[in-house]
Each structure stands twice: as structure tokens, then as C-alpha cells.
Amino acid sequence: MTRGGQRKQESYDEVVAGHDPESYKLSYTVGVAENQNSKFRKTMEDVHTYVENFASRLDWGYFGVFDGHAGNQASKWCGSHLHTVLEKKLLGDESEDVREVLNDSFIYADQHVNSDLGGNSGCTAAVGILRWEVPDSVPSEQIELEQHQRMLYTANVGDTRIVLCRNGHSVRLTYDHKASDILEMQRVEAAGGLIMRSRVNGMLAVTRSLGDKFFDSLVVGNPFTTSVEITTTDQFLIIACDGLWDVIEDQEACDSIKDIDDANEAAKKLVRLALEKGTTDNVTVMVIIFENNS
């Protein structure tokens, strides 16, 4: 995983021009499954979105899961609009670090939900952007298809989580922003809030989200961000709300689907497992399987 350094981005579409048509096949497949869990929940407040060939760039991908609370206004807005905000910012300045673009976009979404939407809803969020890049060390006039690196950038607020399965082992790419976390507890208290019963002011279990204007500066929209190069050792990515992670550990989730080749079937299996293990929340699971043999 990398945290620094800039990479120059080149148009993947231009580089693959003239290659065999098979080169145009997506290097990943996406599967999604969800369940309201009506035994415990009267409404479904989760929303998910994915965009193939994101930002009109060949083989890029955008993936997002949003877990709403106090209504679904925030999660629905993010599901419908956050990828558009990100695309505009990415294409506006392609030299900017994608993690900074994610941070700026999350802050924009937080402010928009708080100022322009009715109610006091909020949502946790986990977003991934998959794209091809070329290292700065490669001269533009010498770029070849095999010199592109597949990079994954992630951002999250709250406890919606992204887990990468690398060489059979789980690698968590997100940070659970919970009121039980000592660092988040200190941040909230420094901002004038109280943590009671592992909740912000005794009410909200997460310390970062998009929306939740009732909590003002205590619950913020600044995400945890990462970047990682996706290689042939990476099998798949799981993005899911806490309806899954409350009852299934990261490694257990990876082990449960490691032999499933169909992304939709993998997502369905994880949702079934969460329900069987007694989750009391809405459940949404997105699985992205990397095609590493192309």
C-alpha cells in the first residue's frame, strides 16, 4: 500500500488502440446482493452504485456502498451523485492526487447533504476507484500497454468497510470510525462532544459520516483514504456495510467466497451468511473480482 508519490495518468484508451479486441474486456467483474432484513428492519436505507469505464475511461471502475441512518435521503443522494462529483473533480485536474480528490468530494457531499436536503439523515460510505496509470519514470512517447499499473484508491467514513483479498489473506483498506475507537473518541471530545455508551452524545455510533447535520462539527465527513497497486496476487475486493461486518470477520468473509468465480454468487453467499449469523441490520455486499489472467 502506498501513501505518497504522484503518478502520471495516461489515456488507457489510446494505448490499447491497435491491440487485439480482447484487450478491451473489463479486467474486473462486479456482483451485488442486498437484503432489507425485514425481521429487524422496517425500511432499506442502504444504497450502492458502481460505474464501469468510470469517467469515460476504458477499464476504470467506481464502486460505492452507502449505509443510511435517520432516513435514506443522504444515502440516496450519495448513491445518485457522488460519482458525478468525483468524476468532475478528477477530470478537472488530472495531476491531483486521487486521495485528495476523494477527500474533497466527501467534504462536498457532507456539506451538500447538510445544507440542501431535508431532515437530519446521514450515511456511512465506502468508495473505491480502480484505474490504470503509468509511473512517472516512463516517458510518454515510450508507453506500452504492459507498463500500465492498475491502481485502487479508497475512501471511507463510518463503519462501511472495504477488504481486499491478497494472496488468500484479507487486507482491510478502510478505518472503522466508531465512537468506541480511542482516536475518534479523543477527536470528538476535543471538538466539545461527549462519548456515552460508545455513542456520540449518547446517540450515534459512528463518528464520521456524510450528513448528520444535527451533530455539526462532532461528526465529520473527512474520509480515511488509501492507495494500493492491484497485482496478480489480488483476487477480489469486498465492499459492505456493517450489516455484514458486525457478524463476519474480514478473513472469514474472504475464505467464504475464495472458490467462487461468479461475483454475484459471491455477494449473495456473504449476504446469506450474515443473515444466518443473526445480523440485525440491512445488508449490502459488493464483490469485485479481478481478472488477473488477461
Side-chain angles (χ1 to χ4, degrees), residues 1-13:
M1 191 180 302
T2 60
R3 293 202 173 273
Q6 280 286 209
R7 298 178 185 278
K8 102 185 133 181
Q9 191 278 322
E10 299 290 345
S11 174
Y12 191 69
D13 307 60

Side-chain angles (χ1 to χ4, degrees), residues 157-173:
V157 288
D159 51 9
T160 298
R161 191 180 298 173
I162 302 178
V163 173
L164 174 68
C165 184
R166 167 166 285 179
N167 202 24
H169 301 287
S170 64
V171 180
R172 189 181 301 185
L173 300 179

Side-chain angles (χ1 to χ4, degrees), residues 25-60:
K25 295 174 65 175
L26 287 173
S27 63
Y28 61 88
T29 58
V30 184
V32 182
E34 59 183 10
N35 193 292
Q36 177 181 318
N37 199 5
S38 57
K39 180 180 178 181
F40 297 97
R41 300 285 170 159
K42 293 182 180 180
T43 59
M44 180 61 164
E45 294 181 322
D46 292 352
V47 175
H48 66 270
T49 305
Y50 69 89
V51 181
E52 297 176 345
N53 296 321
F54 177 54
S56 299
R57 297 296 175 84
L58 189 66
D59 206 36
W60 284 24

Side-chain angles (χ1 to χ4, degrees), residues 86-158:
L86 272 165
E87 179 177 343
K88 183 177 180 180
K89 290 182 180 294
L90 279 171
L91 299 182
D93 182 1
E94 297 193 35
S95 66
E96 187 174 2
D97 191 309
V98 178
R99 291 162 296 183
E100 290 299 323
V101 174
L102 283 163
N103 182 72
D104 293 346
S105 298
F106 270 53
I107 292 173
Y108 172 87
D110 183 42
Q111 294 172 342
H112 178 84
V113 169
N114 284 336
S115 62
D116 294 351
L117 296 188
N120 295 303
S121 70
C123 68
T124 66
V127 166
I129 294 176
L130 187 68
R131 69 181 209 164
W132 290 94
E133 297 179 356
V134 178
D136 286 334
S137 58
V138 178
S140 298
E141 64 274 9
Q142 297 177 12
I143 295 173
E144 297 291 340
L145 187 61
E146 61 274 8
Q147 291 173 306
H148 280 78
Q149 295 174 306
R150 186 161 50 170
M151 296 296 297
L152 173 69
Y153 296 88
T154 72
N156 88 290
V157 288

Side-chain angles (χ1 to χ4, degrees), residues 58-76:
L58 189 66
D59 206 36
W60 284 24
Y62 167 92
F63 320 101
V65 172
F66 310 96
D67 182 355
H69 47 260
N72 64 3
Q73 296 96 327
S75 57
K76 286 181 68 175

